[in-house]
Amino acid sequence: MIQNPILRGFCPDPSIIRVGEDYYIATSTFEWWPGIHLFHSKDLKHWEQLPSPITRRSQADMIGNPTSGGIWAPCLSYSDGIYYIVYTDVKTKKGRFYNNHNYLIQSNAIDGEWSEPIYLNSTGFDPSLFHDMDGRKYLVNMRNGFKGILLQEYDSKEKKLIGEVKNIFYGTSYGYTEGPHLYHIGEWYYLITAEGGTGYGHCVTVARSKVIWGPYEVDPNNPMLTSKEDDDSILKKCGHADFTDTGNGEWYMVHLCSRPREGTKDSLLGRETAIQKVEWSEDGWLRLSNQTGKADVEVVELAGIPSYPVSMQEKRDDFDNNTLDVVYSSPRIPLGEKASLSERAGYLRLYGQESLNSLHRVSLLARRQTEYFAKAITGLEFKPSHPEQVAGITYFYDALNHYIFGKSVDEEGREVLILLRSDTGVYEDLIEPLVLKEHNQLHLQVETDEYGTYAYFSYSYDGLNWFKMSGEYSTKILTDEHCRGFTGAHFGIFCFDMTGLSLHSDFDYFHYEG
């Protein structure tokens, strides 16, 4: 059986394709760099993360983007030997006016170099590129204000949108129509949308037409997938789907979901990706194979396909390689020369930039939290001389909501350990600065209880004997609901220096287990 979610911890808005025997999924990254997560599988069960197609600031410069802005809902497609991705870069997302711009990049190889972005439009987010059987290509995206789904032809030779723009679907009574994907199957064009909002009313709806420009008739059994708060399944917020066939008559659907902590609406892990088996009804509509309209936690595997396990991610990274692992992210822009694996062998050197509440230049390297019961540990060497210089470990949601557990100095120049909490941008000292003993390397740890309800912080001078800070600290401030965001919690290492002197910190290792 395939166990859901298949992509765990902050992997929302999945777009899936099959190329031969290989399956690929692209997911949103929002303000995290590099933009767009890519995953590969041969059996729809085991997935490995690939390098991101976004590697240059010229493809997506997110400096200054708001929390949970940035890269939304990338759509991955393939046609005539070329891979395409269209995506939105959201610059503002408050109030009446969203400022969001849609782009296209392409590559001859999924793991190769991707092109510079081609600007498409700014009419709404969630763009999707559709390749029709006659060779013509079309872009669909929601219209800002959730005012329907727009369709326009794309000229791949001229590399621009051409012709009329038409609103082909105004949505159903569920509202908040977004996340469109088009398919041409048999004599029908099928339009899949996400509706009901991206919270607990989220759902997948289907409409179809024999003409691409519509009108589209709505599936009388909509929604084909939904998850209510009182459902028994641990998978909530189910919606924003995409489909693929297997080449042997089977069909599967990937969709976003969330696993809120039991008995709560607290989504600490963000929005994740699940998979469901689907089939065609006699009258030509897509249906979940379980005939319930609800998401299954366990799904039947591909028929006749052997299992293709992938290597498990190592828990400990000793920074012995020449490049950072694909699991790491940083806010908004690449770290570039502010991070080095070569200046000191076996260490990651981070040069201090702005503090963690900045929307601009931050030296933070993080991994998404994938399970409620989790632990992160690091060992660092850092010689601060100003209280504005801090390095350590962070339990992080966004620039406004995080915990800082780090080393600094007080006004007397004594090396101290500090523990801070930022809740909606308001900082609070959780302990009196602890004067540290003389040491070379300081080890810092943050871990949660088995339910992910509380975080605990510890330090050590040798990595063996640990001293636990008093108190247990709620993870609620790191949830989607509290932060009004979409990214889930991360564990990370950081160095900031608000003096402008760019003091560095050397990190010996980073250990994460979930």
Side-chain angles (χ1 to χ4, degrees), residues 222-272:
N222 271 337
M224 70 159 295
L225 171 68
T226 188
S227 55
K228 301 299 184 183
E229 292 181 48
D230 56 355
D231 288 345
D232 292 335
S233 175
I234 65 170
L235 305 180
K236 306 295 187 184
K237 303 184 181 180
C238 296
H240 202 114
D242 195 10
F243 296 86
T244 185
D245 72 319
T246 64
N248 62 359
E250 292 184 290
W251 285 77
Y252 284 82
M253 173 180 74
V254 291
H255 61 92
L256 77 77
C257 66
S258 181
R259 288 180 288 160
R261 193 164 42 237
E262 187 175 358
T264 75
K265 291 185 178 180
D266 298 339
S267 301
L268 183 66
L269 308 180
R271 301 181 303 167
E272 306 172 293

Side-chain angles (χ1 to χ4, degrees), residues 403 421 449 454-456 469-474:
Y403 288 96
R421 174 173 57 210
D449 61 22
Y454 295 103
Y456 306 91
M469 310 305 294
S470 61
E472 53 184 19
Y473 301 99
S474 174

Side-chain angles (χ1 to χ4, degrees), residues 433-507:
L434 174 68
V435 178
L436 293 167
K437 298 178 182 178
E438 186 175 342
H439 63 281
N440 179 39
Q441 192 169 103
L442 181 66
H443 304 264
L444 301 174
Q445 175 178 278
V446 55
E447 59 185 330
T448 66
D449 61 22
E450 63 179 308
Y451 304 108
T453 306
Y454 295 103
Y456 306 91
F457 298 86
S458 305
Y459 71 99
S460 171
Y461 295 111
D462 58 10
L464 300 173
N465 300 290
W466 290 89
F467 303 95
K468 193 172 186 178
M469 310 305 294
S470 61
E472 53 184 19
Y473 301 99
S474 174
T475 64
K476 188 177 181 67
I477 70 160
L478 307 177
T479 63
D480 286 358
E481 290 74 17
H482 180 84
C483 303
R484 300 176 64 85
F486 311 121
T487 62
H490 290 67
F491 295 98
I493 51 179
F494 71 92
C495 179
F496 67 75
D497 182 357
M498 295 185 294
T499 68
L501 297 175
S502 297
L503 182 68
H504 70 262
S505 178
D506 288 338
F507 293 87

Side-chain angles (χ1 to χ4, degrees), residues 128-160:
S128 177
L129 188 65
F130 167 62
H131 309 270
D132 208 349
M133 296 176 181
D134 61 3
R136 300 174 79 173
K137 303 181 189 301
Y138 299 86
L139 185 79
V140 287
N141 59 265
M142 62 81 74
R143 182 185 171 198
N144 276 331
F146 300 100
K147 296 176 181 177
I149 303 300
L150 302 179
L151 175 70
Q152 188 175 9
E153 188 173 354
Y154 174 74
D155 188 320
S156 57
K157 292 182 180 180
E158 295 292 328
K159 296 184 178 181
K160 65 179 183 180

Side-chain angles (χ1 to χ4, degrees), residues 345-409:
Y347 288 79
L348 171 68
R349 176 165 291 181
L350 290 180
Y351 287 90
Q353 300 187 85
E354 296 171 347
S355 59
L356 296 190
N357 61 349
S358 171
L359 303 182
H360 296 83
R361 296 170 178 85
V362 177
S363 294
L364 163 64
L365 195 71
R367 289 189 58 172
R368 67 187 192 272
Q369 185 173 352
T370 56
E371 304 296 342
Y372 277 102
F373 190 19
K375 176 193 298 183
I377 315 171
T378 193
L380 72 153
E381 297 175 22
F382 183 54
K383 295 297 181 182
S385 57
H386 296 78
E388 293 81 12
Q389 298 167 330
V390 185
I393 198 166
T394 178
Y395 196 8
F396 192 90
Y397 187 95
D398 60 20
L400 299 176
N401 301 277
H402 51 260
Y403 288 96
I404 289 175
F405 190 41
K407 178 180 177 181
S408 186
V409 293

